[in-house]
Amino acid sequence: MADDIEAKLYHEDLPNIGRIAKNRTKQCCQPSTLKKFLPILDWLPKYNFSFLIADLVAGLTVGLTAIPQAIAYGSVAGLPTQYGLYSAFMGCFVYIVLGTCKDITVGPTAIMALMVQTHVTGSADYAVLLCFLSGCVILILGFLNLGVLVRFISVPVTTAFTTAAAITIGSGQINNLFGIKSPSNEFLESWENFFTHIKEARLNDSLLGVITLVVLLLLRKVKDLPCGYKVLTKYISLSRNALAVIIGIVLCYCLKDGDKLPFRASGEITKGIPDFKLPPFSTPGENGTTLGFGDMVSNLGASLASIPLISILESIAIAKAFSKGKIVDASQEMIALGCCNILSSFFSSMPITGSFTRTSINHSSGVQTTMGGAATGVLVLMALAFLTTTFSYIPKATLAAIIISAMIFMVEYERIYEIWKSKKIDIIPLAVTACVCLFWSLEYGMVCGIAVNAIFILYKSARPKIQIHLEKINSTPVAIVEVQENLCYSSAEYLKSKLIKFVAIQGDGIVKLVVIKGEEITNIDSTVAMNIISLKEDLSMLNCDLICWNWNYEAAGVVCRLHKKERSMFKFGKSLEDVVTDMAESTTLQLDTVNED
């Protein structure tokens, strides 16, 4: 028995690297692996005609929403309007081949547009390069199986980020809603400009914007009316954005007086499908200079990390929401998203990701496979080819109403209440993230929220739950230490100082033995091991022995490999009374017991 315990304490399980490499190589050659990386090979052989009808209806319905949203988000990003449409079609086709969630539609989103806007600086080249580099980062993370990274971003942080982004985007459109020109779409600057220039509000734009906003909110609820035309009211509700755009275009065109338009319009949109070309690795600078790739990357700065992260977070969160009990392969979703961005950048796209609004419409429309994205992509291409002149008449007030109506429902009111109700301290990272996002930057808001969460985790790991109480076992005063959490390097010194303080407070020579119960200690590091050995030495100065009782063999082995002579400190199998009795028979405890008698 002793030999078995000794072997367990000193055994280190070194993996057979050759065997693992052989198995991985074998797995790569299997058809199941190919289907994993190309999900279309799994569902396409099972495809039938009934799926085609459902996918076509769903794809066209999503397209009617995608077109006005793409135009609006191009404006939010500070790009020529056609760039929003460029971003809306390529991702649909790529996701058909590589995506795992039938409901997801990939394209421009409000959050991506807002984050891109701060880096465009008057040149669309930055947006396209950012799309390419973001895709490369996401693809590499997917191939490295690093989908697990999104787990380190807590719900309060993501909730605050989404809420702050929605408020910022909605605030950025308040000026357009009333026909007021604004130099910025940022939260504070937008409201400051609105209140200082409110006298410049245009009556036509204000009426159109406010009425369109109210109608959009009402149409959102029309599908819930108790009437016999459920299918009709459902699709009227789903197509509300397209209806708003059509009505806005008709009014703008019919009410124009020569070249003078009654509303501030979106302006000319470049006609035709974008050329297939490499992303721009250089761009014109000031005074006729040319900025190289290094200069562009330097100007993009932290966005090269924040935009891929937010893109991954949005897409995987949507996939989980619509997975319907299926396990989401986060790494494969990252591979799909990375390829969508890389290939889209060859068609002058800004960064794209999964859209919650359009995914909800896709799901509500009864989509059966990712093939629904083909109908959406074709509809966007047709709009680019034939309707760009028509789109130039879209009133900015209409686009502002569409964006604001979407942002109202992106604020997660219920989730904030749930966080407050379940654990009030979680409001701290939520509040920090929201405030930094609103008053400084979205990227730094996410970073600050993660940092606050990390501080909470580190503090908790540095202060594990440790209960110490004094018992007399077989007439020997014993301090029983119950560690209710695992020990790591940050908690090593805390355990030592708390135990030494407890023994010292009891008085000189009162506590004869300290027993650390190890049922909850499954693993320790070298720092904890060194502190355990140091603890034993410090206790011996207080005429007190240390026993580690029923520790996990792996945790005990770390200490024993550090100092083999400390093997006797660990006791396994025996009851606590037997352990104390054995110790009482040793010379030190025997003498102490005689002196007490």
Side-chain angles (χ1 to χ4, degrees):
M1 178 66 178
D3 291 340
D4 292 340
I5 292 174
E6 197 75 24
K8 288 180 179 179
L9 288 176
Y10 290 102
H11 176 66
E12 289 187 90
D13 186 19
L14 296 175
N16 187 331
I17 297 175
R19 175 174 53 81
I20 292 176
K22 183 179 178 181
N23 289 341
R24 291 285 173 88
T25 304
K26 186 178 179 180
Q27 288 175 4
C28 289
C29 301
Q30 293 178 349
S32 58
T33 303
L34 190 59
K35 288 181 179 180
K36 178 182 177 182
F37 286 106
L38 294 171
I40 191 173
L41 297 178
D42 185 35
W43 60 261
L44 189 58
K46 309 169 189 173
Y47 201 81
N48 61 51
F49 184 74
S50 63
F51 290 173
L52 179 62
I53 300 298
D55 289 342
L56 184 62
V57 171
L60 293 175
T61 307
V62 171
L64 292 174
T65 300
I67 292 171
Q69 281 193 341
I71 295 171
Y73 296 153
S75 176
V76 170
L79 298 169
T81 311
Q82 66 268 15
Y83 279 86
L85 289 169
Y86 294 166
S87 306
F89 78 92
M90 192 60 197
C92 298
F93 294 114
V94 177
Y95 194 81
I96 293 171
V97 179
L98 298 173
T100 62
C101 180
K102 65 180 179 64
D103 300 293
I104 283 187
T105 61
V106 177
T109 65
I111 293 177
M112 284 289 102
L114 181 62
M115 295 185 72
V116 167
Q117 186 261 338
T118 58
H119 300 286
V120 168
T121 61
S123 173
D125 290 344
Y126 280 100
V128 178
L129 180 62
L130 190 53
C131 180
F132 175 75
L133 295 178
S134 296
C136 292
V137 172
I138 296 168
L139 184 63
I140 291 170
L141 293 176
F143 277 128
L144 293 177
N145 252 343
L146 294 179
V148 69
L149 290 177
V150 297
R151 299 179 189 174
F152 291 94
I153 304 176
S154 68
V155 170
V157 172
T158 56
T159 299
F161 177 85
T162 304
T163 298
I167 293 172
T168 302
I169 294 165
S171 299
Q173 297 302 313
I174 194 67
N175 290 282
N176 285 331
L177 191 71
F178 291 91
I180 303 171
K181 293 182 179 179
S182 176
S184 173
N185 287 328
E186 296 297 323
F187 174 66
L188 288 178
E189 289 85 345
S190 296
W191 285 107
E192 181 183 359
N193 185 79
F194 175 72
F195 286 114
T196 55
H197 296 80
I198 195 167
K199 292 182 180 179
E200 299 175 12
R202 294 162 54 106
L203 179 61
N204 289 352
D205 292 87
S206 301
L207 287 173
L208 178 65
V210 173
I211 291 172
T212 302
L213 179 58
V214 172
V215 171
L216 285 172
L217 295 176
L218 292 175
L219 286 178
R220 187 182 182 92
K221 296 296 182 183
V222 74
K223 65 181 184 298
D224 300 325
L225 293 176
C227 65
Y229 300 98
K230 281 290 185 183
V231 175
L232 179 61
T233 55
K234 173 185 174 181
Y235 283 102
I236 288 176
S237 179
L238 292 175
S239 305
R240 60 187 180 275
N241 291 337
L243 291 173
V245 168
I246 293 169
I247 293 171
I249 291 172
V250 171
L251 286 174
C252 189
Y253 183 79
C254 293
L255 298 177
K256 72 175 182 174
D257 183 11
D259 292 334
K260 187 178 180 181
L261 299 179
F263 313 107
R264 292 180 64 230
S266 59
E268 291 296 326
I269 299 176
T270 303
K271 186 176 181 180
I273 300 169
D275 296 330
F276 179 83
K277 59 183 179 180
L278 285 173
F281 296 109
S282 63
T283 189
E286 296 179 355
N287 302 322
T289 59
T290 298
L291 296 176
F293 178 70
D295 296 321
M296 294 181 73
V297 169
S298 177
N299 290 337
L300 290 172
S303 64
L304 293 175
S306 61
I307 287 183
L309 177 62
I310 301 306
S311 182
I312 292 168
L313 190 64
E314 274 197 273
S315 192
I316 292 179
I318 293 168
K320 287 182 178 179
F322 290 89
S323 61
K324 296 298 179 183
K326 295 180 181 178
I327 301 298
V328 175
D329 187 344
S331 296
Q332 177 59 29
E333 281 297 304
M334 289 163 67
I335 291 172
L337 186 59
C339 290
C340 286
N341 276 276
I342 291 172
L343 293 176
S344 293
S345 69
F346 286 83
F347 291 91
S348 303
S349 169
M350 67 181 186
I352 57 177
T353 186
S355 164
F356 193 88
T357 302
R358 297 192 294 275
T359 299
S360 299
I361 293 172
N362 208 20
H363 175 76
S364 300
S365 301
V367 72
Q368 295 298 311
T369 69
T370 54
M371 188 64 78
T376 301
V378 169
L379 193 60
V380 174
L381 286 174
M382 290 177 64
L384 276 167
F386 305 112
L387 298 176
T388 49
T389 303
T390 305
F391 288 153
S392 64
Y393 289 100
I394 300 176
K396 288 189 175 182
T398 299
L399 294 178
I402 290 172
I403 294 171
I404 293 172
S405 67
M407 294 307 103
I408 289 173
F409 296 95
M410 274 185 64
V411 179
E412 302 184 46
Y413 311 99
E414 293 182 2
R415 182 61 59 83
I416 295 172
Y417 175 69
E418 288 170 357
I419 292 170
W420 170 261
K421 186 170 64 173
S422 59
K423 194 170 184 180
K424 292 179 175 55
I425 197 171
D426 284 341
I427 289 295
I428 295 176
L430 186 149
V432 169
T433 304
C435 290
V436 176
C437 285
L438 286 172
F439 301 109
W440 187 10
S441 163
L442 285 175
E443 293 99 328
Y444 293 116
M446 178 68 77
V447 170
C448 290
I450 294 172
V452 171
N453 262 144
I455 290 170
F456 283 2
I457 294 170
L458 289 173
Y459 181 82
K460 185 178 180 182
S461 68
R463 294 290 187 274
K465 293 181 180 178
I466 298 174
Q467 292 186 352
I468 307 174
H469 58 277
L470 192 62
E471 292 185 13
K472 270 204 170 185
I473 301 176
N474 298 337
S475 302
T476 302
V478 179
I480 308 297
V481 183
E482 296 185 29
V483 182
Q484 298 178 346
E485 298 177 25
N486 212 8
L487 294 174
C488 61
Y489 70 92
S490 59
S491 59
E493 192 64 36
Y494 176 71
L495 170 66
K496 178 182 173 182
S497 61
K498 187 168 184 176
L499 195 46
I500 293 294
K501 183 178 180 180
F502 178 84
V503 173
I505 289 175
Q506 303 306 314
D508 187 25
I510 298 297
V511 179
K512 302 300 180 183
L513 179 65
V514 171
V515 176
I516 302 178
K517 299 170 71 173
E519 291 90 344
E520 301 293 332
I521 304 173
T522 58
N523 190 18
I524 62 172
D525 55 31
S526 57
T527 305
V528 176
M530 291 176 186
N531 273 268
I532 293 294
I533 294 168
S534 175
L535 173 62
K536 184 177 182 182
E537 294 171 354
D538 291 347
L539 288 174
S540 66
M541 301 295 293
L542 298 173
N543 299 317
C544 182
D545 275 320
L546 174 64
I547 289 295
C548 297
W549 180 50
N550 283 346
W551 277 42
N552 178 279
Y553 288 125
E554 184 179 351
V558 177
V559 179
C560 294
R561 286 191 294 273
L562 190 62
H563 282 282
K564 295 183 179 180
K565 65 179 182 179
E566 304 299 347
R567 164 68 185 85
S568 59
M569 182 170 56
F570 293 91
K571 304 296 180 183
F572 303 92
K574 295 183 179 181
S575 66
L576 191 55
E577 289 76 10
D578 292 339
V579 170
V580 175
T581 301
D582 291 344
M583 291 297 297
E585 293 174 357
S586 65
T587 305
T588 303
L589 287 180
Q590 282 181 353
L591 290 174
D592 288 340
T593 304
V594 169
N595 291 335
E596 286 179 357
D597 292 338

